[in-house]
Amino acid sequence: MRIPTLAFAVAATIMTAAAAAEPVTYELDPDHTYPSFETDHFAGASIWRGKFNKSHGTVVLDSQAGTGRVDVTVDMASVNTGNAKLDEELRTDKFFDVARYPTATFKSDSVQFKDGKPVAVQGTFTMHGVSRPLTLTLVSFKCYQNPIIKKEVCGTEATATFDRSDYGISFAKDYGFFMKTTLHIQAEGVRQ
């Protein structure tokens, strides 16, 4: 009688552990997710900053297995630098050319974990019709039970740098502008 009871207990424990290791899907919250950027103005005279007001995507994480995936789309026409004239210029074919390339996307290839938390995401960033590898470094990552919506929410601050001319956006390079662009991505996802 003890052997079946022990076998049942072991099976129940294994099933519980397997259930706990299932991937969890998070839908990005558009009210708490803003990809933003910093880029040079006249070779170090100042740094221009902007963000994109519209983006959507999903994140799937399995912290026990140390795996995950990220799939994000950014509406490039939603650029917001706080300067309406500059925003209009950024939408033209000098920069983002939103008529031809309305979105930018990031799709992960792998997620690196440390101590059960994601710390980096390697993937492919596509902007202006060009796809290149890009690694997002997660500066912070935290999950919590949101008392307002009564669901688990995970949030992160992620960053990456790239050369915008690699994506065919080299306007003002001839004026001496540096092409280095830094992304800062604040994102929160709601567990589905």
Side-chain angles (χ1 to χ4, degrees):
M1 197 75 165
R2 282 187 169 157
I3 292 174
T5 303
L6 180 60
F8 177 75
V10 169
T13 301
I14 290 171
M15 288 175 59
T16 301
E22 289 182 10
V24 178
T25 300
Y26 300 88
E27 194 75 29
L28 292 182
D29 177 355
D31 293 329
H32 292 89
T33 301
Y34 293 100
S36 62
F37 62 90
E38 296 178 348
T39 193
D40 173 66
H41 190 244
F42 278 104
S46 62
I47 295 176
W48 286 69
R49 293 175 175 86
K51 68 177 183 172
F52 296 93
N53 291 330
K54 295 180 182 176
S55 61
H56 66 275
T58 57
V59 176
V60 178
L61 297 175
D62 186 334
S63 59
Q64 287 195 333
T67 61
R69 66 182 183 276
V70 176
D71 188 350
V72 178
T73 300
V74 177
D75 177 350
M76 298 302 284
S78 73
V79 65
N80 180 356
T81 63
N83 179 329
K85 186 176 178 181
L86 176 58
D87 294 346
E88 282 303 317
E89 190 167 6
L90 290 173
R91 292 182 186 108
T92 70
D93 59 2
K94 288 182 188 176
F95 292 95
F96 299 140
D97 196 359
V98 299
R100 290 179 60 201
Y101 309 107
T103 62
T105 61
F106 179 81
K107 295 183 187 300
S108 67
D109 299 321
S110 65
V111 179
Q112 289 180 292
F113 282 75
K114 182 178 180 182
D115 301 325
K117 289 184 178 183
V119 293
V121 182
Q122 291 82 26
T124 301
F125 180 51
T126 301
M127 180 174 67
H128 202 251
V130 178
S131 298
R132 297 181 60 88
L134 185 71
T135 297
L136 298 175
T137 300
L138 278 59
V139 178
S140 63
F141 181 84
K142 178 183 177 178
C143 295
Y144 64 97
Q145 188 67 26
N146 186 304
I148 298 167
I149 63 173
K150 310 285 191 242
K151 289 186 176 183
E152 180 185 47
V153 173
C154 292
T156 188
E157 172 70 22
T159 188
T161 58
F162 62 89
D163 184 318
R164 67 180 170 93
S165 66
D166 289 344
Y167 293 87
I169 305 173
S170 58
F171 182 80
K173 188 173 187 177
D174 293 342
Y175 301 142
F177 282 44
F178 303 139
M179 297 290 102
K180 178 184 172 185
T181 302
T182 302
L183 292 177
H184 294 286
I185 303 164
Q186 66 182 62
E188 291 189 22
V190 180
R191 184 173 180 154
Q192 300 302 293

